[in-house]
Amino acid sequence: MRRVEFGVTVRFALLAVVWGASFLFIKVGLGGLSPGQVALARVALGALALAAVLVVRRRPLPRDPVLWGHLAVVSVLLCVVPFLLFSWAEQYIPSGLASIFNATTPLVTMLLASAALPEERFTPPRVLGLLLGFAGVLTIVGVWHGIDVSHQLTAQLACLGATACYGACFVYMRRFLSPRGTDPVVVAFGQTASATVILGLLTPVIAVTPVQLSLPVVGSMVALGVFGTGLAYVWNTRIIAAWGAANASAVTYLTPVVGVLLGVLVLGEPVSWHQPAGALLVIAGILAAHGKLRLRRATPAEAELADVK
């Protein structure tokens, strides 16, 4: 039993490191590839890794054309658009800052889910969480410096656009894919394979610049695709099965820490005080939205209800 628990803990730590390092890998990859080429390499290598997992587990691919249509939509929202946006944005902003913006995903998801799904209606904790998260984003951007319409501001907005795509995708999956009960690894392969086809078709438009391969660029793309986009999904599925979705989601709090530290230590990226401060506000917003941050002492009945959740 202890060995199983240790294995899950190791996967959790690896997941935090790999997802947190994804923004570093993107930055390094941009040293020899265009944003479109980075996104294409990421999904193609991720699809190959997941295909190997399917072969080992002997999982058949779905034949339902409607399901493949849903997977195509998911691939656009979860892979094609956000991967392009993050890759483009990191041409102008540090990788650590991009990882901080990625931490807003749970709050954006909650906002969109509350608007689109009746069962995900607004509650006082969720409203508090959204307000804290919004304050966190304003702090990260540093609005007191004034609004300077430059590439850096546009890149930060692109990161928020990527997280909005993630949020829209999670809502879409909750509504159209979750009721089907499809194997999560099959879903992951379907979305990365579909994204590979879509980005491949767009290559003449988005990936026409000369490729300058080097060991760091190739290594970063392999790590980003095979681990960050492929095997990490399998690890996450096992962690959810062992610890539950709520505990597994705690990786969201660690990835920006890893992203910022790697950006500073490996790339020598600068960090302004308001960026980690804003990240803390975002994390506080996530905790508040899930009822884990209270402004008053919970009553015994509330505490019992929270334990049940």
Side-chain angles (χ1 to χ4, degrees):
M1 189 68 177
R2 291 181 178 177
R3 183 177 298 177
V4 173
E5 182 66 20
F6 176 76
V8 176
T9 303
V10 169
R11 290 190 186 96
F12 182 85
L14 288 174
L15 190 63
V17 172
V18 168
W19 277 350
S22 293
F23 301 92
L24 170 67
F25 297 146
I26 292 173
K27 195 75 168 181
V28 175
L30 289 171
L33 304 172
S34 69
Q37 291 163 348
V38 168
L40 177 58
R42 178 177 186 175
V43 294
L45 292 171
L48 286 174
L50 290 167
V53 173
L54 290 177
V55 171
V56 170
R57 294 185 175 183
R58 297 182 179 180
R59 302 287 174 83
L61 293 178
R63 298 182 179 180
D64 184 0
V66 175
L67 176 58
W68 278 105
H70 289 313
L71 290 175
V73 174
V74 169
S75 72
V76 172
L77 293 174
L78 199 61
C79 299
V80 175
V81 177
F83 289 178
L84 285 173
L85 287 175
F86 271 123
S87 297
W88 179 85
E90 286 199 41
Q91 296 178 113
Y92 306 104
I93 63 174
S95 63
L97 181 55
S99 71
I100 290 175
F101 275 109
N102 186 64
T104 65
T105 298
L107 293 175
V108 177
T109 303
M110 181 187 63
L111 176 63
L112 296 177
S114 298
L117 301 175
E119 65 272 21
E120 298 285 347
R121 64 185 183 280
F122 282 114
T123 61
R126 290 181 177 179
V127 172
L128 175 61
L130 286 172
L131 291 176
L132 286 173
F134 181 68
V137 171
L138 294 180
T139 303
I140 294 170
V141 174
V143 291
W144 53 87
H145 295 311
I147 302 299
D148 179 17
V149 183
S150 62
H151 278 310
Q152 186 175 44
L153 177 61
T154 307
Q156 294 181 65
L157 293 177
C159 291
L160 290 175
T163 62
C165 287
Y166 287 150
C169 183
F170 294 149
V171 173
Y172 185 91
M173 293 177 70
R174 173 76 176 274
R175 185 168 182 177
F176 296 106
L177 281 182
S178 296
R180 291 175 171 268
T182 307
D183 187 315
V185 180
V186 173
V187 171
F189 170 76
Q191 67 196 32
T192 52
S194 299
T196 301
V197 173
I198 294 171
L199 285 170
L201 293 174
L202 294 175
T203 295
V205 178
I206 64 173
V208 294
T209 57
V211 174
Q212 298 179 354
L213 295 181
S214 63
L215 186 58
V217 170
V218 173
S220 294
M221 290 301 95
V222 171
L224 181 63
V226 174
F227 295 100
T229 312
L231 297 181
Y233 192 91
V234 180
W235 297 340
N236 190 47
T237 301
R238 292 185 178 181
I239 294 168
I240 291 174
W243 288 356
N247 291 329
S249 66
V251 72
T252 306
Y253 313 144
L254 299 178
T255 50
V257 177
V258 173
V260 171
L261 284 177
L262 289 177
V264 172
L265 296 177
V266 179
L267 301 176
E269 295 177 344
V271 179
S272 301
W273 68 267
H274 57 88
Q275 294 169 356
L280 290 176
L281 280 174
V282 169
I283 292 173
I286 297 171
L287 293 173
H290 288 84
K292 298 182 182 296
L293 182 67
R294 299 178 183 275
L295 299 180
R296 60 180 176 80
R297 185 179 181 84
T299 65
E302 291 173 335
E304 182 178 353
L305 181 59
D307 290 337
V308 171
K309 292 181 180 179

